[in-house]
Amino acid sequence: MRITALNQDLADEVLKLMNLGSPYVRARTPSDYWLYARLFASTCPVALVDGLVVGALIGMRSQEDPFEIYIQDVMTHPDHRRRGVAGALVDIVRRRGREWGCRRIYLTSEPDNARAYAAWTSMGFANTPGDYTTNGVSITRDFKGLGKDRAVFELLLP
Ligand SMILES: CC(C)(COP(=O)(O)OP(=O)(O)OC[C@H]1O[C@@H](n2cnc3c(N)ncnc32)[C@H](O)[C@@H]1OP(=O)(O)O)[C@@H](O)C(=O)NCCC(=O)NCCS
């Protein structure tokens, strides 16, 4: 597996990969991927196997709090799961965060995304206390706007 930063040549393949992520990940538009490659490439690693895109992570460093990185989407191709792809992508962002002196990487997942819960906790993310609990997962009400309850996960950097 090779990991590289998102670039314009990979943007279309990353969009296609994200299209396989329903119901938990939805592809954004081509101009969104253009923008991620243009402005946020260093926190948008892409995993390739034999030249094919098998995983991608879209993350951004906050402008409001430059010591935070938000991960918007993580997706591994269904044929390549449980092989450490997502872990390797998160490691790249974790390393980048350390280089920048960031304190926190965080992300959200849908309340019923048990696979994501297992992945984030195994990578050292903590499920931040929210407003209620579903199947042992703490959920923050309206985190992403009215009616958009989310499980929030954070990884504190030393
Ligand atoms: C969640 C997702 C990104 C994980 O990707 P992955 O490449 O399979 O994850 P990794 O192989 O790096 O897994 C790391 C660890 O997470 C845990 N894990 C990952 N998937 C798991 C599953 N289905 N069941 C239980 N544990 C799981 C395991 O502890 C795993 O380590 P192990 O395989 O050595 O036991 C992937 O399932 C996916 O793309 N899902 C669809 C999109 C999605 O839900 N994205 C997240 C949105 S918040």
Side-chain angles (χ1 to χ4, degrees):
M1 177 170 60
R2 186 169 72 84
I3 299 196
T4 187
L6 178 62
N7 59 52
Q8 302 302 346
D9 292 338
L10 291 171
D12 198 38
E13 290 307 309
V14 169
L15 189 156
K16 285 184 192 153
L17 172 73
M18 296 292 181
N19 263 325
L20 303 175
S22 179
Y24 300 120
V25 166
R26 281 173 307 281
R28 319 273 160 170
T29 68
S31 45
D32 288 314
Y33 292 103
W34 174 87
L35 182 142
Y36 303 145
R38 179 92 183 156
L39 298 186
F40 304 111
S42 63
T43 49
C44 296
V46 178
L48 299 133
V49 170
D50 297 332
L52 296 174
V53 170
V54 299
L57 183 158
I58 304 296
M60 296 108 189
R61 186 180 190 182
S62 168
Q63 294 188 355
E64 297 305 312
D65 180 348
F67 298 107
E68 291 197 338
I69 295 172
Y70 172 66
I71 295 180
Q72 175 183 265
D73 287 317
V74 186
M75 172 70 192
T76 299
H77 189 285
D79 296 343
H80 293 263
R81 290 189 184 155
R82 300 302 297 268
R83 296 182 196 172
V85 172
L89 295 170
V90 167
D91 274 349
I92 297 283
V93 174
R94 193 193 313 232
R95 207 176 311 150
R96 180 68 59 180
R98 281 209 194 100
E99 284 165 10
W100 285 335
C102 291
R103 288 187 295 260
R104 179 178 183 247
I105 299 173
Y106 72 107
L107 55 84
T108 68
S109 64
E110 305 268 348
D112 64 343
N113 193 349
R115 222 164 26 198
Y117 178 87
W120 310 143
T121 49
S122 87
M123 292 175 205
F125 284 79
N127 178 205
T128 64
D131 301 306
Y132 62 96
T133 300
T134 303
N135 296 327
V137 183
S138 188
I139 311 294
T140 304
R141 194 171 280 119
D142 300 333
F143 188 83
K144 282 202 160 174
L146 204 58
K148 293 185 176 171
D149 299 1
R150 292 290 184 272
V152 181
F153 295 87
E154 67 177 10
L155 182 69
L156 301 180
L157 301 175

